[in-house]
Amino acid sequence: IGIKTNMRRATRVVGSFGGARASRCYVLTQRSSYHTVDITTTEEFQKEVIEASDNVTVVLDLYADWCSPCRALSPNLDSIAKEHYKRLKLVKANVDNAKEIAQQMMVTGIPAVFAFRNQEVHGSFVGAKTKSEINRWLTDDVWDEKDK
């Protein structure tokens, strides 16, 4: 058994069958250059969103795989998380798998995005937004003057 890696994928060789090698591919989910976490439980919500918001702004994205506006919003949030990696953590929760979190946040439409600071919601929006609209939302509604 061996492991071959590159920046995007890890391949684990699981055996050989009649001279042919079989392998399974695993997509690496940990992103080292910025903070992005996927959650499904209320325990993860408490740790990754509420507690983490004492140290950094946490943006919670509640989405669904079948939702077109959610798919349009996702790359914009990812890009902003990369740009502001020192002061922003992006947490994503699929509402189909994280129903308790969606209920706790009283989500009635998706994508629903919330910004947490010091264990409190400091802003939110529903629907797809452009990257510049999200940056404006963070600057105008979420971050204080010292954070800008």
Side-chain angles (χ1 to χ4, degrees):
I1 295 178
I3 296 179
K4 297 184 230 176
T5 61
N6 66 27
M7 293 297 287
R8 304 293 293 166
R9 302 180 85 71
T11 304
R12 179 173 176 232
V13 178
V14 294
S16 58
F17 301 95
R21 291 167 50 128
S23 64
R24 291 189 183 133
C25 291
Y26 300 93
V27 175
L28 298 176
T29 56
Q30 183 176 11
R31 299 170 180 107
S32 60
S33 61
Y34 63 103
H35 304 287
T36 301
V37 178
D38 296 304
I39 62 170
T40 56
T41 67
T42 54
E43 292 81 13
E44 291 171 325
F45 174 78
Q46 180 65 32
K47 178 185 174 204
E48 300 293 344
V49 176
I50 303 298
E51 292 173 13
S53 71
D54 282 334
N55 302 316
V56 66
T57 299
V58 177
V59 173
L60 173 64
D61 174 24
L62 293 153
Y63 73 97
D65 291 332
W66 47 263
C67 167
S68 294
C70 300
R71 290 193 307 268
L73 177 65
S74 185
N76 296 334
L77 290 173
D78 289 338
S79 178
I80 287 170
K82 288 176 187 176
E83 287 176 15
H84 300 289
Y85 71 93
K86 290 183 180 180
R87 59 183 176 160
L88 187 141
K89 176 180 180 178
L90 177 60
V91 177
K92 297 185 176 196
N94 184 325
V95 295
D96 293 329
N97 301 328
K99 291 181 171 129
E100 288 182 26
I101 296 169
Q103 289 172 346
Q104 184 175 343
M105 296 305 299
M106 295 184 270
V107 172
T108 57
I110 55 173
V113 178
F114 299 87
F116 288 81
R117 297 188 59 205
N118 301 316
Q119 301 192 8
E120 295 178 359
V121 174
H122 275 253
S124 65
F125 67 84
V126 176
K129 291 198 179 295
T130 65
K131 187 176 164 184
S132 63
E133 289 173 323
I134 298 166
N135 271 320
R136 194 172 324 113
W137 169 69
L138 287 167
T139 302
D140 295 347
D141 299 342
V142 177
W143 288 327
D144 295 333
E145 282 298 317
K146 64 180 174 144
D147 297 319
K148 295 178 184 174

